[in-house]
Amino acid sequence: MSKLYIVPTPIGNLKDITFRAIDVLKAADLILAEDTRTSGKLLKHYKVSTPMQSHHMHNEHKTVESIIQKIKSGTSVALVSDAGTPAISDPGFLLTRACIENNIEVDCLPGATAFVPALVNSGLPNDKFVFEGFLPVKKGRQTRLLLLAEENRTMVFYESPHKLVKTLGHFCAYFGEDRPVSVSRELTKLYEETIRGTAKEVLDYYTNKPPKGEIVIVVGGKK
């Protein structure tokens, strides 16, 4: 029986991949990719010719069982997402859980993930923190924000650029305008930036300068 490899991929800069990750991708019999077009660019850059199969949030419930059977029959499978470590706000959890339930070995390689550099360069306490990922879009959002308003650890969120201003407005309303906030955008890429300040200051900045790209928000806990 083969195993499932969880392989982190760069979040922007193509150089941010380990030698081991490239070796695993080349040696695997099959690569499961969130978007084969996105992963195809990375594989071409590193001359990886391993066959790919689509594995994303819209089909993972249907494909898990067939993948389990492939691994049981001796197929070595590597899972990648579009960027970063699979299963961190990306597909991967369902397959990992299914492998464990079927006594299939899971080997998760260390590598790129967006929230760690954003947390570290925020300057906010990082000895203890809470990773929240994406907040609920509608249902449950207010309940979650009310709960997090009492959280005293540093909080980390992912957000899309077109929702950033709205979310910062909610932080002002629920956490207070003076709560410290750091927004990291386009990490490892050419136009990478980190904006730090109070929730109100960061809200004003992005209200006047609409953001683009991948975004991580780091928020100080309640004092």
Side-chain angles (χ1 to χ4, degrees):
M1 185 188 298
S2 291
K3 67 171 75 171
L4 172 68
Y5 293 92
I6 309 294
V7 183
T9 54
I11 60 175
N13 192 317
L14 288 181
K15 294 180 180 179
D16 292 334
I17 190 168
T18 66
F19 294 126
R20 182 183 171 205
I22 296 170
D23 287 345
V24 168
L25 293 175
K26 287 182 176 180
D29 298 312
L30 176 66
I31 295 173
L32 302 177
E34 186 178 2
D35 187 325
T36 55
R37 294 166 298 181
T38 300
S39 297
K41 297 174 184 177
L42 176 69
L43 301 186
K44 182 179 180 181
H45 182 80
Y46 284 105
K47 297 180 173 59
V48 178
S49 58
T50 306
M52 283 190 290
Q53 176 181 319
S54 180
H55 182 80
H56 49 73
M57 63 180 293
H58 302 295
N59 73 356
E60 59 179 335
H61 287 84
K62 300 176 182 178
T63 59
V64 164
E65 185 55 39
S66 65
I67 295 169
I68 292 296
Q69 294 308 315
K70 286 181 179 180
I71 299 175
K72 284 185 174 181
S73 68
T75 302
S76 178
V77 175
L79 173 67
V80 299
S81 62
D82 287 348
T85 301
I88 304 297
S89 293
D90 279 321
F93 165 70
L94 292 178
L95 181 57
T96 299
R97 181 178 63 180
C99 284
I100 292 169
E101 291 173 347
N102 283 271
N103 296 316
I104 294 172
E105 184 178 354
V106 177
D107 190 351
C108 183
L109 279 61
T113 188
F115 78 82
V116 174
L119 173 62
V120 173
N121 70 28
S122 71
L124 294 170
N126 54 34
D127 54 332
K128 296 179 181 178
F129 64 92
V130 180
F131 176 71
E132 284 291 318
F134 289 95
L135 283 166
V137 177
K138 293 181 179 179
K139 186 178 181 181
R141 188 179 182 92
Q142 182 180 35
T143 301
R144 194 70 195 157
L145 287 167
L146 286 169
L147 179 66
L148 292 174
E150 301 302 315
E151 175 60 63
N152 56 21
R153 293 168 292 183
T154 298
M155 297 169 281
V156 183
F157 303 87
Y158 284 165
E159 190 53 278
S160 60
H162 66 280
K163 293 179 181 176
L164 176 61
V165 169
K166 179 181 179 180
T167 295
L168 290 171
H170 285 161
F171 289 167
C172 286
Y174 288 91
F175 301 164
E177 293 185 352
D178 293 332
R179 188 71 72 94
V181 168
S182 174
V183 172
S184 289
R185 186 180 67 84
E186 292 288 79
L187 286 166
T188 79
K189 300 178 184 177
L190 181 62
Y191 297 106
E192 174 180 344
E193 72 171 7
T194 294
I195 302 299
R196 308 172 184 87
T198 65
K200 182 64 166 60
E201 289 170 342
V202 178
L203 170 61
D204 289 344
Y205 177 86
Y206 282 111
T207 298
N208 295 317
K209 187 180 179 182
K212 296 180 180 179
E214 303 293 326
I215 290 168
V216 184
I217 314 172
V218 183
V219 183
K222 181 179 180 180
K223 297 296 185 180

